[in-house]
Every structure is written in structure tokens, then in C-alpha cells.
Amino acid sequence: MESVNVKKLLDAYFEGNTSLEEEKALQNYFNSETVADELLEYQQIFLGLKAAKEERSSRAFNLPESKPKTIKTWWYSAAAMLLVAFGLGSFYFSQPHFSQEEKEALAAFEKSKNAMMLLSENLNKGAEQIVFIDQFTITKDRIFE
């Protein structure tokens, strides 16, 4: 392999733009005995990668057993169903349920409330007219004095 091509591949390798075949060609080149003198500094990188690839651990690892997650899913769905049922039940029972007598009493109350509001409006209109009568009385007393 020419050193110019190897330098281009090295630049692409360090930028992360090489394919697996190009990386394999670089590893083969630097792991061989015929490396150009100006590229000897990069040979250590590829020798280190080769050594790291061949490392094996003799230590045994014990991984904890994982519990199946289906129980959690079942528990969450049951809790969600209970929550929805509780919400619907509380909404249903919070609505007033009146007997026929109570409905008639409420209707009579609304009618009397409307009648009182009409009476109040008319009394307020009359009270506005009293202001004019008071003004008329004051003016009359000034004139006849």
C-alpha cells in the first residue's frame, strides 16, 4: 500500500468516515512488518487495538436475575382501571338526585325568585323617581318662601 493512500485513509479514519473494509486494510497494513518510516507513530495505535481485541478476562461475573415485567404491567393496568372506576363513581354520586316533590319545590323557588327580582327592579325604578320628587320639593320651598 502506498503511503499517500494510507495517509488519506488515516485522515478519513480519524474523522470517522471510513468503511469497515478500509479500517480492516489499515489494521492489516499497520500490523504487518512493512510500515513506512513516516507512519511508524500510528503503528502503536493499531497494535494497541489488536492487543485490546485479544484481551480476555478470567473473572466470572454473576448477573442478577431479572424478574418478568408482566406483573408490573398487570398491576399498572389494574390500578388505572380502579382509578377510572372511582372517578366515574364519584362523578355519578356527586350529581343531585331529587324526588318529584323536591323538583316541584325547586321550580316554585325559581318562580318566586324571579318574581322577587321583578319586584326589586320595579322598586329601584320607583326609588329613582323619588329623587326627582325630592328635588321638586326643595325647589318649591325656595320659590314660596
Side-chain angles (χ1 to χ4, degrees):
M1 219 178 189
E2 296 177 24
S3 65
V4 175
N5 289 339
V6 173
K7 285 182 182 179
K8 287 181 184 177
L9 279 177
L10 275 174
D11 289 338
Y13 179 77
F14 288 129
E15 290 179 11
N17 297 328
T18 55
S19 65
L20 292 176
E21 293 82 26
E22 292 170 336
E23 290 178 14
K24 188 73 169 171
L26 278 174
Q27 288 174 356
N28 290 338
Y29 176 75
F30 283 108
N31 290 330
S32 68
E33 298 295 326
T34 57
V35 178
D37 291 335
E38 66 267 6
L39 299 174
L40 280 176
E41 60 186 295
Y42 298 110
Q43 187 178 20
Q44 297 299 321
I45 295 172
F46 289 95
L47 288 175
L49 288 174
K50 181 181 178 184
K53 188 175 182 181
E54 294 173 357
E55 280 184 8
R56 300 285 180 250
S57 176
S58 61
R59 183 176 174 191
F61 294 98
N62 294 327
L63 297 176
E65 293 182 24
S66 62
K67 295 180 181 177
K69 294 185 178 182
T70 56
I71 294 173
K72 284 186 178 179
T73 307
W74 178 81
W75 177 252
Y76 290 145
S77 25
M81 287 174 38
L82 285 173
L83 185 64
V84 168
F86 180 73
L88 289 174
S90 64
F91 177 74
Y92 176 74
F93 287 117
S94 69
Q95 299 297 319
H97 299 287
F98 298 120
S99 65
Q100 185 62 29
E101 237 178 60
E102 290 172 326
K103 289 178 184 176
E104 289 174 3
L106 281 174
F109 172 74
E110 287 296 322
K111 283 183 183 177
S112 54
K113 185 170 101 175
N114 289 337
M116 291 293 180
M117 287 300 291
L118 182 63
L119 178 67
S120 172
E121 288 173 7
N122 287 332
L123 282 176
N124 287 337
K125 285 180 186 176
E128 290 172 3
Q129 298 300 323
I130 290 177
V131 171
F132 294 123
I133 292 174
D134 287 341
Q135 187 64 35
F136 176 76
T137 306
I138 293 171
T139 309
K140 180 188 74 157
D141 289 341
R142 282 186 189 166
I143 291 173
F144 292 117
E145 285 183 354

